């Protein structure tokens, strides 16, 4: 008895800090030795499948492989129905259809149910003997002594397993969502790039339309001069042929020819200049080419190309710039886009055809000082509220959604000035008074 108690104390001590499989194997092995069984096991019960599955098994003093077996016709079925089963002998006669017990030549059977915290049977502890069991009551009492701790460990392990599964499925979900989000982000970036490209093309379109309009006027005059010259030459020819040319007529025709030729060459030169200017301005609209520009000529031709757009809303544009500023090195294509976008916005947002502002005005002033080009573009239009002003550089922010606004114009301006041209920009706007953009660019030598 003393030896048994000592052994029991050492079993309890040894279980103190073990968990999971180590706990089950350790306990089963020690119980097995304490009770002198031939087979001892702890098993879990699966009521749906009506099977029992060992989680720790000791056979003849050694840890064995776990296995599962059907509960049909077994004493374990009675244990799983919440009975303590004590059959010190002749178990095979009592359960003649339990082939396993018969094959193993088992004589005595002891089984105790294991309960979870709700009182449900979740498993069992079983000891099998090849000979008659002598002290079965004591052994069952021992099983009952440990059953609480075993059940708690089974429950803890199940919960840990569920938690790990939950964690994994949560990780899967997070990964899935991350993939979805990153592909949505890619799609968004692609769309944004496309819209930015469209906006660039739109501002190029504005320039082209403006230039076409500007060139049309001198070319129209030149065509007229050409036909005047043709008429005058025809008259001259026929008078000479018929020998009827009077001096006064000759003088008149010569004066027509002179005037027409002057006008023709003036207008053709103007058209050629416009084309040159446009080339200069549009040079690689998508390139980063640096050029030395004359700020006056550059702004003048840029404004010329924007005039038709401003004309539609009866906006006059005034340029205040020193006629001979020092040359300035920059990327004119990007600068042109900045100015075009800001002025297009005055046309699109500052004025309405039927508003009560008497003079629709845009004023551009520019100066180059110590290698810094400062440009101020002001309109006397309707201005912006603080809320609008705070958002204008956000991509896709527009107050004209559905009316042609993309909300990209000023975000492109911001990006070009800050990231590409290393410049600064500031906006002042007062409702009912107008808007000013103050820009500053360093020379990009
Ligand atoms: N000169 C201006 N006067 C009044 N509002 C302006 C002016 N310039 C820009 N805005 C406001 O800033 C917003 C953003 O401009 P922008 O980024 O160019 O987009 P979009 O022109 O496509 O609307 C406009 O929708 C408008 O509300
Ligand atoms: Mg715009």
């Amino acid at each position: 008895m003393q030896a048994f108690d000592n052994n029991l104390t050492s079993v309890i001590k040894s279980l103190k800090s073990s968990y999971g499989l180590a706990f089950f194997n350790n306990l089963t092995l020690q119980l097995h030795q304490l009770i002198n069984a031939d087979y001892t096991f702890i098993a879990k019960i699966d009521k749906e499948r009506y099977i029992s599955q060992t989680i720790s098994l000791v056979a003849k003093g050694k840890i064995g492989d776990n296995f599962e077996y059907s509960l049909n016709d077994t004493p374990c079925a009675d244990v799983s129905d919440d009975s303590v089963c004590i059959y010190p002998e002749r178990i095979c006669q009592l359960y003649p259809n339990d082939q396993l017990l018969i094959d193993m030549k088992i004589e005595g059977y002891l089984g105790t149910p294991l309960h979870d915290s709700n009182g449900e049977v979740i498993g069992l502890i079983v000891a099998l003997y090849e000979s008659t069991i002598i002290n079965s009551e004591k052994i069952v009492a021992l099983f009952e002594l440990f059953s609480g701790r075993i059940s708690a460990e089974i429950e803890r392990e199940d919960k840990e397993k569920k938690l790990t599964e939950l964690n994994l499925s949560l990780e899967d979900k997070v990964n899935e969502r991350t993939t979805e989000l990153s592909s949505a982000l890619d799609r968004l970036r692609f769309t944004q790039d496309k819209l930015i490209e469209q906006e660039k093309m739109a501002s190029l379109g504005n320039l082209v339309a403006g230039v076409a309009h500007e060139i049309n006027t001198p070319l129209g005059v030149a065509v007229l001069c050409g036909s005047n010259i043709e008429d005058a030459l025809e008259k001259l020819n026929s008078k000479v042929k018929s020998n009827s040319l009077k001096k006064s007529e000759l003088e008149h025709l010569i004066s027509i020819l002179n005037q027409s030729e002057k006008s023709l060459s003036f207008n053709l030169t103007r058209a050629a200049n416009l084309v040159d200017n446009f080339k200069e301005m549009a040079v690689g609209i998508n390139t980063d080419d640096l050029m030395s520009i004359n700020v006056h000529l550059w702004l003048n031709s840029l404004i010329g190309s924007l005039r038709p757009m401003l004309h539609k809303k009866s906006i006059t544009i005034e340029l205040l710039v020193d006629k001979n500023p020092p040359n300035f090195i920059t990327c004119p294509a990007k600068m042109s886009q900045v100015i075009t976008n800001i002025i297009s916005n005055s046309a699109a947002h500052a004025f309405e055809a039927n508003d009560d502002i008497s003079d629709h005005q845009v004023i551009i002033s520019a100066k180059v000082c110590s290698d810094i080009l400062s440009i101020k573009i002001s309109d006397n239009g309707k201005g912006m509220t603080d809320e609008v002003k705070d958002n204008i550089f956000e991509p896709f922010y527009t107050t004209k959604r559905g009316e042609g606004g993309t909300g990209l114009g000023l975000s492109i301006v911001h990006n070009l000035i800050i990231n590409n041209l290393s410049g600064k920009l500031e906006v002042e706007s007062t409702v009912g008074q107008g808007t000013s953009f103050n820009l500053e660019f360093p020379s990009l030598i």
Side-chain angles (χ1 to χ4, degrees), residues 199 341 344-345 348-349 405-410:
E199 181 81 8
N341 284 7
S344 315
N345 272 349
H349 304 289
T406 60
L408 285 174
L410 289 181

Side-chain angles (χ1 to χ4, degrees), residues 199 341-342 345-346 348-350 379 382-384 388 392 394 397-400 404-411 435 437:
E199 181 81 8
N341 284 7
I342 294 177
N345 272 349
S346 290
H349 304 289
D379 65 51
K382 69 175 188 198
M384 300 177 226
V388 172
I392 54 175
E394 289 298 317
Y397 177 81
T398 176
T399 49
K400 289 224 163 165
T406 60
L408 285 174
L410 289 181
S411 91
T435 303
F437 285 82

